[in-house]
Amino acid sequence: MHSSAIYPSLADRPVFITGGGSGIGASLVTAFARQNAIVHFIDIDDTASRALVDRLTAESSAHRVSYSHCDIRDITALQGCIREFEAAHGPIRVLINNAANDDRHDWRDVSPDDWDERMAINLRPQFFAIQAAAPGMASAGGGSIINFGSISWKVGLGNMPGYTTAKAAVHGLTRSMARDLGGDHIRVNTVIPGAVLTQRQLEKWITPEDKTRLAEIQCLKQHLAPADVAPTVLFLAADDSAMCTAHEYFVDAGWG
Ligand SMILES: NC(=O)c1ccc[n+]([C@@H]2O[C@H](COP(=O)([O-])OP(=O)(O)OC[C@H]3O[C@@H](n4cnc5c(N)ncnc54)[C@H](O)[C@@H]3O)[C@@H](O)[C@H]2O)c1
């Protein structure tokens, strides 16, 4: 499914996306480029990211999508990328905290360093990206921040407590920052994907049996694709959702 909606408020709007090189992030980069937004994304996968930029450049949207290599665990680099993008294009109006890592881990094997590492990828960058982008958004009259949560903790999945704990905390981050930033007309929401069959999910975790089980437990029986998430994110980014903040929006085919 692809968004057929065009949001005039997104045209020419600076949009910053973490983890845009593949999976759901790549479909977000594509969807915002097709809205003629000014899109910059960061990632650590240079090959996939450059290929995406090339594909979108060939599609010729109004603005060339740009990419920089940045590991979101490095907060100085992350905030530096945000400042560089703002220096070139003005304040970020849409920030999408998408990058994450859901590698599985047995709770018995987790060391304190492993735990910190899970937070450093799945939670900490979301806050520090907001910290860097919010002042510019406020000066521009407002903006929209979309944090990515996960269905995993809602449905009580095991074998990844570092990931599920971080993703549960994203809800607290969203609500608390929505309160702090609402006075500056900055909205903060969480998007919660269900089981989205990205290439990585298919390669690493999802078995044919899982696919059958998902179809049984979801209300809707089709499997979710990355492009199914983008329309909800576009809506939350656009002025059409001007009075929506501090909440969670599920795109899970009715699993949670
Ligand atoms: N796919 C799903 O079923 C699913 C389910 C629930 C939640 N989510 C959430 O949706 C978001 C996107 O998920 P996805 O499945 O597309 O993920 P993915 O793993 O397919 O893609 C994540 C992207 O982030 C990049 N990335 C990973 N570590 C990084 C780092 N340290 N610095 C910078 N970039 C990094 C990867 O290279 C990749 O391009 C995540 O927040 C994830 O937790 C996904």
Side-chain angles (χ1 to χ4, degrees), residues 199-217:
Q199 195 182 335
R200 182 171 185 272
Q201 294 294 316
L202 290 168
E203 282 169 5
K204 292 197 83 166
W205 321 120
I206 303 277
T207 62
E209 295 74 40
D210 290 333
K211 282 183 162 184
T212 307
R213 196 175 58 85
L214 281 169
E216 284 164 10
I217 57 182

Side-chain angles (χ1 to χ4, degrees), residues 2 6 15 38 56 128 144 199 223 230:
H2 293 276
I6 295 293
V15 176
I38 304 169
L56 292 174
F128 284 102
S144 175
Q199 195 182 335
H223 293 119

Side-chain angles (χ1 to χ4, degrees), residues 189-193 232 235-236 243-251:
N189 289 293
T190 306
V191 165
I192 305 172
T232 301
F235 169 71
L236 289 172
M243 295 306 285
C244 300
T245 194
H247 283 294
E248 293 91 40
Y249 294 84
F250 287 78
V251 185

Side-chain angles (χ1 to χ4, degrees), residues 19 22 24 43 70-72 98 100 148-150 163 167 193-194 196 200:
S22 66
I24 294 169
D43 209 293
C70 176
D71 188 325
I72 56 170
N98 164 75
F148 267 73
S150 172
Y163 174 79
K167 287 296 185 179
V196 181
R200 182 171 185 272

Side-chain angles (χ1 to χ4, degrees), residues 17-247:
I17 301 174
T18 68
S22 66
I24 294 169
S27 79
L28 298 176
V29 169
T30 304
F32 278 94
R34 288 178 181 159
Q35 298 285 331
N36 291 330
I38 304 169
V39 184
H40 185 80
F41 70 97
I42 57 172
D43 209 293
I44 48 174
D45 185 340
D46 292 333
T47 307
S49 299
R50 292 197 177 118
L52 178 61
V53 170
D54 289 347
R55 272 202 307 282
L56 292 174
T57 303
E59 257 191 33
S60 83
S61 64
H63 307 284
R64 193 173 192 275
V65 166
S66 57
Y67 160 69
S68 43
H69 180 102
C70 176
D71 188 325
I72 56 170
R73 290 171 294 184
D74 181 344
I75 298 302
T76 305
L78 170 63
Q79 294 194 326
C81 285
I82 288 173
R83 274 192 291 276
E84 262 174 44
F85 180 52
E86 286 188 328
H89 297 287
I92 289 168
R93 304 297 302 281
V94 178
L95 167 67
I96 303 177
N97 279 315
N98 164 75
N101 183 308
D102 66 350
D103 278 356
R104 304 320 195 237
H105 43 275
D106 189 311
W107 62 272
R108 297 168 195 83
D109 302 331
V110 175
S111 68
D113 283 348
D114 294 335
W115 185 262
D116 289 347
E117 171 76 359
R118 292 300 89 193
M119 301 303 142
I121 292 183
N122 294 312
L123 179 60
R124 191 175 69 168
Q126 297 207 6
F127 171 75
F128 284 102
I130 294 171
Q131 185 189 58
M137 275 186 189
S139 72
S144 175
I145 296 168
I146 295 148
N147 297 325
F148 267 73
S150 172
I151 196 75
S152 54
W153 70 272
K154 281 259 178 195
V155 296
L157 294 186
N159 210 26
M160 47 178 167
Y163 174 79
T164 49
T165 302
K167 287 296 185 179
V170 168
H171 291 246
L173 175 67
T174 289
R175 288 183 176 235
S176 157
M177 293 311 297
R179 179 67 62 190
D180 282 344
L181 299 176
D184 288 317
H185 305 290
I186 298 171
R187 302 182 290 110
V188 191
N189 289 293
T190 306
V191 165
I192 305 172
V196 181
L197 301 192
T198 62
Q199 195 182 335
R200 182 171 185 272
Q201 294 294 316
L202 290 168
E203 282 169 5
K204 292 197 83 166
W205 321 120
I206 303 277
T207 62
E209 295 74 40
D210 290 333
K211 282 183 162 184
T212 307
R213 196 175 58 85
L214 281 169
E216 284 164 10
I217 57 182
Q218 290 177 183
C219 297
L220 303 173
K221 303 308 176 189
Q222 299 91 330
H223 293 119
L224 284 156
D228 291 322
V229 182
T232 301
V233 177
L234 290 175
F235 169 71
L236 289 172
D239 290 352
D240 297 67
S241 58
M243 295 306 285
C244 300
T245 194
H247 283 294

